[in-house]
Amino acid sequence: MGAFDESKTKMNILIKNRNILQTTYIPDQLPHRENEVKNIVEIITPSLYKHKPSNILITGKTGTGKTAVLNYIGKELKKEDPSEENCSFLYVNCEIVDNPYGMLFNISNQIIKDQSNKIPFTGWSLDRVYDTLINSIDKENKIFIIVLDEIDRILQKNGDDIFYFLTTMNEKLKNSKVSIIGVTNNTKFTELLTSKIRSRLGEEKVVFPPYNPEQLQDILRKRAELAFEPGVVEEGVIPYCAAVSAQDSGDARKALDLLRVSAEKAERRGDSIVTEAHVKEAINAIEKDTVQEVIRTLPSQSKIILRSIIENHEKKDTSVITGDVYSLYKEICKGLNISPKSEKRVADLISELDMLGIIHARVKSFGRQGRTREIELNINKDIIEFVMKDELFEPLSKYKPPKQTKLL
DNA sequence: TGTCCACTGGAAGGGAGGGCTT
DNA sequence: AAGCCCTCCCTTCCAGTGGACA
């Protein structure tokens, strides 16, 4: 008897080609993004003739196909110019490298092939990195199209100096030229830029509208045809996945995830077709998993703050405010033998929890009682349990589950 | 009508930790 | 080894504020 035997007999392989349902998969066609592709292609075509295309600013919510479209265009561009004699297409995800040094480092090392000349990942001054980058770009004597995905990330933390660098680069280049494609899901992104940089970065603008339910269905169908044998997915499943995702966000990535997880649920149960019941199961599982994952990976300080918020809610009926959270936070720290951070820091971390969607923190004035944040929990009982059971809190006395918890 | 609370939100700066340069 | 540089995390400082209450 091998360890896998039982699971193997129960398992019923439904997904013929798992790859296709992964979010990293780049399809050969991008349904309902024909206009956007055409639009961008027209703008960057001059690069094939070694002319600098305009910079482009692309906006659109998550899961509207921005990244997929750009990957696709990158591949197609390479087909037109296989040796990259006239133009190169570079992609940088600013969510992963969200500081100026990292960004320049990343761009440079896609250009500099010679190992010995590579820029170290830290240690140099920005000026030096910048100069080296300009030199190596100019040496290539061609057009560089640099895609900066999630470009708002870098702005948030660092201001727009780096974009000044990038957009004035061309003035220093003699042989090569650079054009920037900025990608963001933040529609207010441009408002945060100084006007000079705004006009430079947004010479052309392309907006990706969210998919409507029919379009999502279409996308899912196309993928499902490739991923499953005919008949495996029950009739209503795809419209259902599409409807749920469209209502939620119009996010194709989520819709795809939902379909994949649903199929996996069916597989694990040993069922031979994927049904709407599996989708329902998947919706819950995904929701729970993502929240738990967010919480699990929270830094200790944030976990303590979250615990403080939870306990405050358990023992009070009135609104929980920053001050309450901070004083209990300090006590918990004491119990754990961790030195507490400043009030300001804790207030900032509360804002972060808010942004993650774990809590709702709204600024509210209580008149004579001052002006502060009113904090609500945005997680259910299961997740609260999950937080309280975190191993970080093991040194504290056992946690007794609340009789009743106020929930949203 | 003005006061005044309990913060908020922004700025500035320190210092630890990474690593290069001379 | 000493001196730089960049980033991250954090502290300190401070002006600003919505609205209940006197």
Side-chain angles (χ1 to χ4, degrees):
Chain A
M1 259 307 245
F4 286 89
D5 289 355
E6 194 193 332
S7 189
K8 263 166 69 188
T9 52
K10 226 171 62 184
M11 185 92 174
N12 187 358
I13 299 295
L14 297 178
I15 306 179
K16 181 174 66 176
N17 193 340
R18 216 157 286 265
N19 223 350
I20 287 176
L21 294 178
Q22 298 294 337
T23 46
T24 46
Y25 175 79
I26 307 170
D28 295 330
Q29 330 164 342
L30 298 153
H32 308 294
R33 287 289 98 118
E34 293 82 4
N35 286 338
E36 288 76 11
V37 170
K38 188 165 156 251
N39 216 330
I40 297 169
V41 165
E42 274 169 11
I43 298 169
I44 67 173
T45 299
S47 64
L48 290 170
Y49 307 98
K50 232 188 249 192
H51 294 298
K52 181 200 170 299
S54 300
N55 294 331
I56 314 175
L57 195 60
I58 297 178
T59 45
K61 287 195 190 161
T62 42
T64 48
K66 303 183 297 295
T67 307
V69 161
L70 286 165
N71 278 323
Y72 169 78
I73 290 175
K75 276 209 286 194
E76 293 292 308
L77 192 71
K78 177 104 194 227
K79 276 190 208 160
E80 296 292 324
D81 182 13
S83 53
E84 298 191 22
E85 201 178 308
N86 291 327
C87 62
S88 285
F89 190 86
L90 308 182
Y91 176 87
V92 179
N93 189 334
C94 303
E95 194 177 14
I96 299 164
V97 280
D98 61 356
N99 54 311
Y101 192 104
M103 203 171 97
L104 295 180
F105 165 78
N106 198 305
I107 296 169
S108 309
N109 287 345
Q110 288 189 53
I111 297 169
I112 305 172
K113 295 290 181 281
D114 181 1
Q115 280 297 329
S116 56
N117 289 331
K118 289 219 168 183
I119 292 170
F121 83 94
T122 174
W124 282 11
S125 72
L126 274 177
D127 281 346
R128 185 169 171 195
V129 177
Y130 183 58
D131 288 343
T132 313
L133 177 59
I134 287 189
N135 280 333
S136 43
I137 285 178
D138 220 17
K139 250 186 248 159
E140 296 280 322
N141 186 19
K142 61 182 175 187
I143 302 297
F144 284 92
I145 296 172
I146 302 178
V147 177
L148 302 175
D149 205 348
E150 314 268 335
I151 194 174
D152 45 312
R153 280 312 188 90
I154 211 155
L155 181 79
Q156 265 173 28
K157 303 176 71 175
N158 307 283
D160 59 7
D161 287 0
I162 185 69
F163 301 129
Y164 183 78
F165 261 168
L166 287 174
T167 51
T168 49
M169 202 179 245
N170 285 317
E171 290 162 20
K172 299 197 179 166
L173 291 168
K174 292 191 189 68
N175 311 313
S176 298
K177 292 289 170 215
V178 168
S179 69
I180 306 288
I181 301 183
V183 184
T184 174
N185 51 32
N186 181 356
T187 44
K188 291 192 188 128
F189 174 71
T190 48
E191 291 169 24
L192 305 171
L193 296 168
T194 52
S195 59
K196 197 172 189 180
I197 292 174
R198 188 184 313 155
S199 56
R200 283 190 181 166
L201 221 47
E203 289 169 346
E204 298 277 354
K205 296 195 178 89
V206 178
V207 176
F208 280 55
Y211 297 108
N212 63 34
E214 292 76 41
Q215 293 172 333
L216 278 179
Q217 254 191 66
D218 205 36
I219 292 167
L220 289 179
R221 260 215 178 95
K222 289 220 165 78
R223 294 279 185 109
E225 276 167 22
L226 297 171
F228 301 103
E229 296 289 354
V232 166
V233 178
E234 203 184 57
E235 187 45 44
V237 165
I238 284 176
Y240 186 40
C241 287
V244 170
S245 310
Q247 194 186 27
D248 188 32
S249 55
D251 185 337
R253 197 181 318 160
K254 279 193 188 163
L256 233 30
D257 267 338
L258 185 55
L259 182 60
R260 181 177 47 89
V261 175
S262 306
E264 284 168 0
K265 291 280 170 203
E267 280 183 338
R268 230 164 283 161
R269 285 166 164 255
D271 297 339
S272 56
I273 52 167
V274 184
T275 66
E276 286 184 42
H278 295 123
V279 180
K280 285 198 181 110
E281 202 183 326
I283 293 170
N284 292 330
I286 289 173
E287 164 72 15
K288 193 172 169 186
D289 280 2
T290 46
V291 180
Q292 280 193 356
E293 185 56 20
V294 169
I295 288 174
R296 200 180 57 74
T297 52
L298 238 35
S300 315
Q301 291 296 338
S302 301
K303 285 183 186 170
I304 300 172
I305 293 166
L306 187 53
R307 182 181 175 123
S308 166
I309 295 169
I310 290 171
E311 289 191 12
N312 263 296
H313 270 288
E314 280 166 12
K315 68 179 185 204
K316 306 182 60 174
D317 284 336
T318 55
S319 344
V320 173
I321 61 167
T322 306
D324 301 336
V325 174
Y326 188 66
S327 39
L328 185 51
Y329 157 85
K330 274 198 295 191
E331 294 207 1
I332 300 174
C333 281
K334 211 166 158 198
L336 293 172
N337 207 10
I338 290 175
S339 52
K341 303 294 172 202
S342 68
E343 257 185 286
K344 169 66 177 168
R345 182 68 188 144
V346 170
D348 285 346
L349 289 174
I350 290 174
S351 300
E352 273 177 35
L353 289 176
D354 182 41
M355 286 202 291
L356 288 171
I358 299 170
I359 60 172
H360 283 308
R362 282 186 308 172
V363 178
K364 186 179 170 188
S365 176
F366 294 86
R368 266 281 157 85
Q369 270 74 254
R371 187 169 169 271
T372 175
R373 282 205 196 86
E374 190 180 32
I375 301 163
E376 297 282 341
L377 280 168
N378 195 28
I379 49 179
N380 63 30
K381 250 190 205 152
D382 285 354
I383 304 288
I384 289 176
E385 282 281 297
F386 179 77
V387 174
M388 301 306 278
K389 280 188 188 142
D390 194 288
E391 59 180 7
L392 173 69
F393 301 124
E394 260 159 37
L396 300 175
S397 55
K398 321 112 237 149
Y399 167 70
K400 335 179 247 337
K403 276 178 278 169
Q404 209 189 358
T405 318
K406 254 204 304 181
L407 293 171
L408 290 181

